[in-house]
Amino acid sequence: MAGKNYLDLKAEIWDTGKCAACGACVAVCPADAIYFEMKSDSTHPLNSGYCKDANDGVPCGACYEVCPRVEKPSTEVLGNYLDIVTAKAEMDIPRKQSGGAVTAILSNALDEGMIDAVVTVVEDPWTLKPSSAVITSTDVLVHQAGSRYNWWVPLVASLKEAVMKRKFTNIAVVGVPCVTQAMKEMRTSELDLLRPFRKNIRLVVGLFCTETFDYEKLVENKLISENKIDPLDIIHFDVKGKLEITLKDGSMTVIPLKDVEDCVRPGCHICTDLTAVNADISAGSIGSAKGHTTLIIRNPVGKEFVNSAIRNGKLSLEDDVNLELIEKLSKKKLERMPEE
């Protein structure tokens, strides 16, 4: 994006309500001038008032280059793939979200030296409050399994820690579709400033997503205040056309999405990608039976990681996927396509 800088990003994306709040611009800003204030009204990042391009005339444009909202929204239903299967972990993952397949794949990759770090979402076990983190231990990864990616967090911001500060060279990034699109921009950009990111991202795992929710608005206002649900009692949280919350006593609270519309992140309203079409592997519970994970293996890189986990007895696959349901919900999300 020749000649583009922070001011263009602000005018075109932040100020128009299109920001996905993924954190990619925070990660790549060489001046550390872009940041988030983690508040309920944080609809986009902030800038310290400095931009090396705008202020000093030094060409940059990294923030604009990686933004997932600069390009037109995806029109693909499922995207390119090699195979679609249903999977489950063949290792003990106490807090797994569905089949535990993503945790099994990443744990195997860490153990085998295929990756040296995972940029992902973690959560406080007492409050469910999310944050992004860099994980390098299989034990920590398994402990954090089941973290709710439905909570908004500028996940990609932690990529700067992994790449620039801790100097990891084989990084896996796990995130929702806007995150995977930002990763695509990083991996395909020819901008020299992005070379460290382009070179060191080894695997991108995308998670099926209909929308993400603001933590304060959903947990503190809707769940605690209105529905009298203690976050400590929640063991499973899923979005399949409605909000399904499973509690420790086995009961389930179902909340129609229209009742939590005011908790959805503003930038989600223009996202058309359900299955993270830009990932190496996409994963979600839609299309698989309870206790299993649907995997969309999109390219040889993704296939290599899946096959390694299978060879080492950490993952098993089946072919029983409800493809019709995945396509139906993908087409439903495509209806959000903004008008020209």
Side-chain angles (χ1 to χ4, degrees):
M1 305 294 177
K4 297 286 189 176
N5 60 34
Y6 144 72
L7 295 176
D8 299 292
L9 183 67
K10 181 178 184 298
E12 295 176 27
I13 307 300
W14 298 2
D15 294 347
T16 57
K18 296 178 182 178
C19 181
C22 65
C25 56
V26 177
V28 301
C29 177
D32 293 328
I34 301 176
Y35 63 96
F36 265 98
E37 285 188 352
M38 297 296 289
K39 301 185 298 184
S40 60
D41 58 349
S42 297
T43 57
H44 57 74
L46 300 174
N47 180 272
S48 65
Y50 174 75
C51 171
K52 63 185 294 185
D53 191 330
N55 293 82
D56 298 334
V58 179
C60 180
C63 60
Y64 194 94
E65 185 84 1
V66 301
C67 178
R69 292 295 161 79
V70 169
E71 302 292 337
K72 290 184 177 180
S74 170
T75 59
E76 298 179 85
V77 176
L78 293 179
N80 296 324
Y81 62 88
L82 302 178
D83 202 3
I84 300 182
V85 296
T86 185
K88 66 175 181 177
E90 296 296 341
M91 55 183 285
D92 186 29
I93 305 174
R95 298 175 64 240
K96 62 187 178 184
Q97 178 72 359
S98 51
V102 172
T103 302
I105 292 167
L106 295 173
S107 295
N108 176 75
L110 280 171
D111 289 344
E112 292 295 301
M114 300 171 74
I115 57 174
D116 51 12
V118 179
V119 174
T120 186
V121 170
V122 298
E123 67 183 13
D124 185 298
W126 310 107
T127 65
L128 304 186
K129 197 173 184 67
S131 61
S132 60
V134 180
I135 294 177
T136 59
S137 159
T138 296
D139 289 343
V140 174
L141 189 69
V142 171
H143 177 73
Q144 286 292 340
S147 292
R148 278 74 169 183
Y149 284 83
N150 302 95
W151 306 140
W152 165 74
V153 61
L155 182 143
V156 188
S158 284
L159 191 57
K160 173 170 280 186
E161 176 190 347
V163 173
M164 306 304 289
K165 295 181 180 178
R166 300 176 69 178
K167 307 296 184 182
F168 292 116
T169 58
N170 289 287
I171 301 166
V173 179
V174 185
V176 291
C178 57
V179 168
T180 65
Q181 187 176 348
M183 294 302 98
K184 184 203 79 169
E185 304 300 339
M186 284 187 192
R187 293 167 109 182
T188 58
S189 172
E190 296 181 359
L191 190 67
D192 195 54
L193 283 167
L194 298 177
R195 183 185 299 173
F197 299 93
R198 182 169 64 241
K199 182 176 70 173
N200 296 314
I201 297 171
R202 177 78 173 87
L203 176 72
V204 176
V205 178
L207 304 173
F208 294 2
C209 179
T210 52
E211 54 266 302
T212 59
F213 299 96
D214 184 87
Y215 172 84
E216 282 80 8
K217 291 179 180 178
L218 183 59
V219 174
E220 296 179 3
N221 296 345
K222 294 290 183 180
L223 301 189
I224 296 176
S225 299
E226 295 184 18
N227 290 275
K228 310 304 178 187
I229 296 175
D230 187 334
L232 283 174
D233 292 332
I234 298 175
I235 62 170
H236 195 74
F237 184 102
D238 210 353
V239 182
K240 296 181 179 178
K242 53 187 177 292
L243 196 60
E244 298 178 346
I245 302 168
T246 305
L247 305 179
K248 288 179 179 178
D249 63 6
S251 64
M252 178 182 288
T253 297
V254 178
I255 304 176
L257 288 182
K258 63 180 178 61
D259 292 348
V260 292
E261 182 67 23
D262 58 336
C263 303
V264 175
R265 296 291 301 177
C268 295
H269 294 302
I270 61 170
C271 177
T272 59
D273 183 4
L274 176 77
T275 63
V277 297
N278 298 120
D280 299 312
I281 304 168
S282 298
S285 60
I286 299 169
S288 286
K290 185 176 181 180
H292 291 72
T293 306
T294 298
L295 294 182
I296 303 179
I297 305 168
R298 298 194 177 276
N299 55 38
V301 171
K303 189 172 182 65
E304 176 187 0
F305 278 84
V306 170
N307 286 346
S308 179
I310 294 170
R311 285 195 303 268
N312 292 319
K314 294 184 177 178
L315 186 74
S316 62
L317 304 184
E318 299 175 15
D319 294 323
D320 189 21
V321 177
N322 186 343
L323 189 58
E324 183 179 348
L325 177 59
I326 302 172
E327 290 178 334
K328 176 183 176 181
L329 294 179
S330 293
K331 290 175 181 177
K332 181 70 176 176
K333 193 170 183 182
L334 277 171
E335 293 176 6
R336 299 180 185 178
M337 180 68 67
E339 295 183 2
E340 294 290 341

